[in-house]
């Protein structure tokens, strides 16, 4: 299944790039990040839909059952989550290193230093990946029901 891999990696890379870009946008326009996170989810949902639609139209000659649609959506979600996880790690390790201070200005020096450690960042990334896969699975189920087309 090349389609879910391709679309999952593209979506995860775009969402990760948006996450990093959002940091710089927030520096110039404080308060923007609260709504900007919606863009990442829009990218996610759109690419799950496109992946399922592409498999249906280009690989399955316009026919796709629920199982195949779900398989496509979940695989797209897995690759999305992995790509986004890598870029999230890069963001918090090298770009937005003061994330904890932004979230909690009263954080102690020890908490701030702890939040910058590789292991602490990996803990967050490891939690994000299964959440995104689970969320993508739910979205895939909804999209699969809506755009499946069984053989007549």
């Amino acid at each position: 299944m090349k389609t879910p891999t391709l679309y999952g990696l593209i979506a995860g890379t775009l969402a990760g790039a948006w996450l990093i870009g959002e940091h710089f946008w927030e520096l110039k326009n404080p308060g923007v990040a609260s709504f900007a996170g919606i863009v990442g989810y829009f990218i996610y949902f759109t690419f799950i839909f496109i992946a399922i639609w592409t498999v249906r139209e280009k690989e399955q000659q316009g026919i796709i059952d629920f199982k195949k649609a779900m398989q496509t959506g979940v695989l797209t979600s897995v690759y999305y989550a992995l790509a986004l996880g890598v870029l999230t790690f890069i963001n918090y390790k090298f770009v937005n290193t003061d994330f904890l201070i932004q979230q909690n200005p009263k954080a102690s020096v020890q908490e701030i230093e702890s939040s910058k450690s590789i292991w602490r960042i990996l803990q967050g990334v490891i939690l994000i990946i299964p959440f995104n896969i689970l969320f993508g699975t739910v979205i895939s189920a909804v999209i699969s029901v809506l755009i499946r087309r069984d053989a007549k």
Side-chain angles (χ1 to χ4, degrees):
M1 287 209 120
K2 294 179 183 176
T3 301
T5 305
L6 175 67
Y7 285 109
L9 290 175
I10 290 171
T13 301
L14 285 174
W18 175 255
L19 176 69
I20 292 169
E22 180 183 14
H23 166 68
F24 295 107
W25 192 22
E26 177 72 21
L27 291 175
K28 293 185 179 202
N29 303 297
V32 167
S34 60
F35 102 89
I38 295 170
V39 173
Y41 288 114
F42 178 76
I43 292 168
Y44 193 19
F45 303 157
T46 301
F47 274 84
I48 290 173
F49 175 84
I50 292 170
I52 295 171
W53 183 85
T54 300
V55 168
R56 182 184 80 181
E57 296 302 319
K58 306 236 167 131
E59 296 176 18
Q60 302 287 318
Q61 291 75 39
I63 298 168
I64 193 167
D65 62 359
F66 179 79
K67 180 181 174 183
K68 183 73 169 180
M70 271 298 291
Q71 180 183 20
T72 301
V74 170
L75 284 173
T76 303
S77 299
V78 168
Y79 286 104
Y80 167 89
L82 293 173
L84 182 60
V86 168
L87 289 169
T88 299
F89 176 82
I90 290 169
N91 181 50
Y92 292 128
K93 182 62 183 167
F94 303 108
V95 179
N96 190 0
T97 58
D98 294 328
F99 178 74
L100 180 63
I101 297 170
Q102 295 167 4
Q103 298 299 313
N104 183 8
K106 297 178 183 176
S108 70
V109 174
Q110 184 180 8
E111 289 173 324
I112 293 168
E113 289 307 312
S114 171
S115 75
K116 293 180 181 183
S117 75
I118 288 175
W119 298 113
R120 187 65 168 247
I121 296 169
L122 280 175
Q123 284 177 335
V125 170
I126 289 169
L127 289 173
I128 289 170
I129 291 172
F131 170 77
N132 278 318
I133 293 170
L134 179 63
F135 197 51
T137 301
V138 171
I139 296 304
S140 296
V142 172
I143 293 172
S144 296
V145 165
L146 295 175
I147 70 170
R148 73 186 167 123
R149 191 180 299 156
D150 295 322
K152 294 181 182 183

